[in-house]
Amino acid sequence: MATLNESQSGKAVKVRTKKSAPRVDLTAMVDLMFLLTTFFMLTTTLGDLNVVDVAKPDATIDQGPYPASRTMTILLGKNNEAAYYMGETDKAEIKTSSLKNIENDILSSKLLVAKIHNNNPSKHMIVIIKPTKTSTYKDFVDVLDEMKITNIKAYAIDDDHITDKEKDFMKLKGI
């Protein structure tokens, strides 16, 4: 608001009063933000871990032979490579596969077992996983994940009984 003041010379001088700029008080907004953050932190559930139970059978218990017509054996090697075969070691044709493609190999073997046993649910495929000394823990976990993905109901881990034929094949293929 301007007022008129008379100066010493007698002339009227305009003087302006300074207006303060309006301020917004954000204290309540910050309090609300912290309350909401705390609320969402305490009520949100974090992602659940997917855990696979692995239990090796007792070595003193004789497991007996697995049925050859529905048993697949996977040998884990180095460089993300694996060897696999169906049936008994002595009569089997061992093939190699990368771990990226092992899912397809498992599924095709599973379909073959279902076809042989006329889709009998009690005759599901059994997978024996044999990690070798050259394989990595990551490869082992990846194969266990594939068991879940391909819905294999029965699988066993056997790192104690790798036959000479299996060892020779792995050395021959460099895996």
Side-chain angles (χ1 to χ4, degrees), residues 15 27 31 41 46 52 57 72 76 97-98 105 121 150 171:
V15 177
T27 305
D31 287 344
M41 280 177 34
L46 300 176
V52 176
M72 177 182 196
L76 300 177
S97 177
S98 70
D105 300 325
T150 56
K171 284 181 186 176

PDB file of all heavy atoms in Angstrom, residues 15 27 31 41 46 52 57 72 76 97-98 105 121 150 171:
ATOM      1  N   VAL A  15       5.816   6.055  -0.761  1.00  0.00           N
ATOM      2  CA  VAL A  15       6.586   5.029  -0.075  1.00  0.00           C
ATOM      3  C   VAL A  15       5.750   3.734  -0.115  1.00  0.00           C
ATOM      4  O   VAL A  15       4.587   3.744   0.240  1.00  0.00           O
ATOM      5  CB  VAL A  15       6.873   5.417   1.386  1.00  0.00           C
ATOM      6  CG1 VAL A  15       7.606   4.291   2.096  1.00  0.00           C
ATOM      7  CG2 VAL A  15       7.639   6.701   1.438  1.00  0.00           C
ATOM      8  N   THR A  27       5.066 -29.008   6.666  1.00  0.00           N
ATOM      9  CA  THR A  27       5.327 -29.899   7.788  1.00  0.00           C
ATOM     10  C   THR A  27       4.298 -31.025   7.847  1.00  0.00           C
ATOM     11  O   THR A  27       4.651 -32.195   8.019  1.00  0.00           O
ATOM     12  CB  THR A  27       5.316 -29.114   9.106  1.00  0.00           C
ATOM     13  OG1 THR A  27       6.250 -28.033   9.004  1.00  0.00           O
ATOM     14  CG2 THR A  27       5.669 -30.000  10.278  1.00  0.00           C
ATOM     15  N   ASP A  31       5.003 -35.129   7.396  1.00  0.00           N
ATOM     16  CA  ASP A  31       4.528 -36.083   8.402  1.00  0.00           C
ATOM     17  C   ASP A  31       3.661 -37.167   7.757  1.00  0.00           C
ATOM     18  O   ASP A  31       3.796 -38.348   8.061  1.00  0.00           O
ATOM     19  CB  ASP A  31       3.729 -35.370   9.491  1.00  0.00           C
ATOM     20  CG  ASP A  31       4.604 -34.549  10.424  1.00  0.00           C
ATOM     21  OD1 ASP A  31       5.838 -34.776  10.412  1.00  0.00           O
ATOM     22  OD2 ASP A  31       4.058 -33.704  11.156  1.00  0.00           O
ATOM     23  N   MET A  41       5.710 -50.010   4.407  1.00  0.00           N
ATOM     24  CA  MET A  41       6.848 -50.864   4.730  1.00  0.00           C
ATOM     25  C   MET A  41       6.436 -51.996   5.670  1.00  0.00           C
ATOM     26  O   MET A  41       6.906 -53.128   5.540  1.00  0.00           O
ATOM     27  CB  MET A  41       7.973 -50.057   5.380  1.00  0.00           C
ATOM     28  CG  MET A  41       8.814 -49.293   4.386  1.00  0.00           C
ATOM     29  SD  MET A  41      10.096 -48.267   5.112  1.00  0.00           S
ATOM     30  CE  MET A  41      10.626 -49.128   6.530  1.00  0.00           C
ATOM     31  N   LEU A  46       7.410 -59.211   1.412  1.00  0.00           N
ATOM     32  CA  LEU A  46       8.488 -59.331   0.449  1.00  0.00           C
ATOM     33  C   LEU A  46       8.327 -60.656  -0.284  1.00  0.00           C
ATOM     34  O   LEU A  46       7.596 -61.537   0.137  1.00  0.00           O
ATOM     35  CB  LEU A  46       9.832 -59.265   1.170  1.00  0.00           C
ATOM     36  CG  LEU A  46      10.077 -57.962   1.937  1.00  0.00           C
ATOM     37  CD1 LEU A  46      11.387 -58.045   2.694  1.00  0.00           C
ATOM     38  CD2 LEU A  46      10.098 -56.790   0.984  1.00  0.00           C
ATOM     39  N   VAL A  52      13.913 -75.738  -2.497  1.00  0.00           N
ATOM     40  CA  VAL A  52      13.795 -77.134  -2.861  1.00  0.00           C
ATOM     41  C   VAL A  52      14.409 -77.968  -1.745  1.00  0.00           C
ATOM     42  O   VAL A  52      15.549 -77.732  -1.347  1.00  0.00           O
ATOM     43  CB  VAL A  52      14.533 -77.416  -4.196  1.00  0.00           C
ATOM     44  CG1 VAL A  52      14.502 -78.890  -4.526  1.00  0.00           C
ATOM     45  CG2 VAL A  52      13.938 -76.600  -5.315  1.00  0.00           C
ATOM     46  N   PRO A  57      19.411 -90.114   0.520  1.00  0.00           N
ATOM     47  CA  PRO A  57      19.027 -91.266   1.343  1.00  0.00           C
ATOM     48  C   PRO A  57      20.205 -91.801   2.143  1.00  0.00           C
ATOM     49  O   PRO A  57      21.363 -91.583   1.798  1.00  0.00           O
ATOM     50  CB  PRO A  57      18.552 -92.294   0.311  1.00  0.00           C
ATOM     51  CG  PRO A  57      19.154 -91.857  -0.970  1.00  0.00           C
ATOM     52  CD  PRO A  57      19.353 -90.381  -0.892  1.00  0.00           C
ATOM     53  N   MET A  72      15.918 -91.918 -16.059  1.00  0.00           N
ATOM     54  CA  MET A  72      16.829 -91.054 -16.811  1.00  0.00           C
ATOM     55  C   MET A  72      17.963 -90.664 -15.872  1.00  0.00           C
ATOM     56  O   MET A  72      17.722 -90.287 -14.725  1.00  0.00           O
ATOM     57  CB  MET A  72      16.113 -89.802 -17.307  1.00  0.00           C
ATOM     58  CG  MET A  72      16.983 -88.827 -18.038  1.00  0.00           C
ATOM     59  SD  MET A  72      16.031 -87.370 -18.510  1.00  0.00           S
ATOM     60  CE  MET A  72      17.099 -86.657 -19.715  1.00  0.00           C
ATOM     61  N   LEU A  76      26.324 -84.273 -14.629  1.00  0.00           N
ATOM     62  CA  LEU A  76      26.699 -82.867 -14.764  1.00  0.00           C
ATOM     63  C   LEU A  76      28.198 -82.763 -15.008  1.00  0.00           C
ATOM     64  O   LEU A  76      28.987 -83.360 -14.287  1.00  0.00           O
ATOM     65  CB  LEU A  76      26.315 -82.089 -13.509  1.00  0.00           C
ATOM     66  CG  LEU A  76      24.832 -82.081 -13.168  1.00  0.00           C
ATOM     67  CD1 LEU A  76      24.606 -81.347 -11.864  1.00  0.00           C
ATOM     68  CD2 LEU A  76      24.025 -81.464 -14.277  1.00  0.00           C
ATOM     69  N   SER A  97      24.275 -82.639 -23.824  1.00  0.00           N
ATOM     70  CA  SER A  97      23.360 -81.515 -23.960  1.00  0.00           C
ATOM     71  C   SER A  97      23.897 -80.354 -23.132  1.00  0.00           C
ATOM     72  O   SER A  97      24.576 -80.566 -22.130  1.00  0.00           O
ATOM     73  CB  SER A  97      21.966 -81.904 -23.462  1.00  0.00           C
ATOM     74  OG  SER A  97      21.089 -80.802 -23.526  1.00  0.00           O
ATOM     75  N   SER A  98      23.577 -79.153 -23.572  1.00  0.00           N
ATOM     76  CA  SER A  98      23.904 -78.004 -22.729  1.00  0.00           C
ATOM     77  C   SER A  98      22.797 -77.867 -21.686  1.00  0.00           C
ATOM     78  O   SER A  98      21.672 -78.334 -21.888  1.00  0.00           O
ATOM     79  CB  SER A  98      24.017 -76.727 -23.561  1.00  0.00           C
ATOM     80  OG  SER A  98      22.747 -76.344 -24.032  1.00  0.00           O
ATOM     81  N   ASP A 105      15.212 -81.992 -23.304  1.00  0.00           N
ATOM     82  CA  ASP A 105      15.595 -83.402 -23.253  1.00  0.00           C
ATOM     83  C   ASP A 105      14.811 -84.147 -22.179  1.00  0.00           C
ATOM     84  O   ASP A 105      14.390 -85.285 -22.381  1.00  0.00           O
ATOM     85  CB  ASP A 105      17.101 -83.532 -23.008  1.00  0.00           C
ATOM     86  CG  ASP A 105      17.919 -82.867 -24.100  1.00  0.00           C
ATOM     87  OD1 ASP A 105      17.491 -82.902 -25.269  1.00  0.00           O
ATOM     88  OD2 ASP A 105      18.983 -82.307 -23.780  1.00  0.00           O
ATOM     89  N   PRO A 121      -0.245 -93.070 -14.406  1.00  0.00           N
ATOM     90  CA  PRO A 121       0.337 -92.098 -13.470  1.00  0.00           C
ATOM     91  C   PRO A 121       1.256 -92.717 -12.429  1.00  0.00           C
ATOM     92  O   PRO A 121       2.132 -92.048 -11.891  1.00  0.00           O
ATOM     93  CB  PRO A 121      -0.877 -91.442 -12.817  1.00  0.00           C
ATOM     94  CG  PRO A 121      -2.059 -92.240 -13.184  1.00  0.00           C
ATOM     95  CD  PRO A 121      -1.693 -93.118 -14.336  1.00  0.00           C
ATOM     96  N   THR A 150       9.772 -79.080 -14.935  1.00  0.00           N
ATOM     97  CA  THR A 150       9.230 -80.163 -15.758  1.00  0.00           C
ATOM     98  C   THR A 150       8.335 -81.115 -14.985  1.00  0.00           C
ATOM     99  O   THR A 150       7.864 -82.104 -15.533  1.00  0.00           O
ATOM    100  CB  THR A 150      10.381 -80.966 -16.412  1.00  0.00           C
ATOM    101  OG1 THR A 150      11.250 -81.443 -15.391  1.00  0.00           O
ATOM    102  CG2 THR A 150      11.149 -80.116 -17.395  1.00  0.00           C
ATOM    103  N   LYS A 171      35.133 -87.997 -20.049  1.00  0.00           N
ATOM    104  CA  LYS A 171      36.495 -87.653 -20.456  1.00  0.00           C
ATOM    105  C   LYS A 171      36.611 -87.561 -21.965  1.00  0.00           C
ATOM    106  O   LYS A 171      37.258 -86.649 -22.492  1.00  0.00           O
ATOM    107  CB  LYS A 171      37.491 -88.678 -19.926  1.00  0.00           C
ATOM    108  CG  LYS A 171      37.800 -88.544 -18.474  1.00  0.00           C
ATOM    109  CD  LYS A 171      38.809 -89.574 -18.013  1.00  0.00           C
ATOM    110  CE  LYS A 171      38.992 -89.520 -16.505  1.00  0.00           C
ATOM    111  NZ  LYS A 171      39.889 -90.581 -16.033  1.00  0.00           N
TER     112      LYS A 171
END
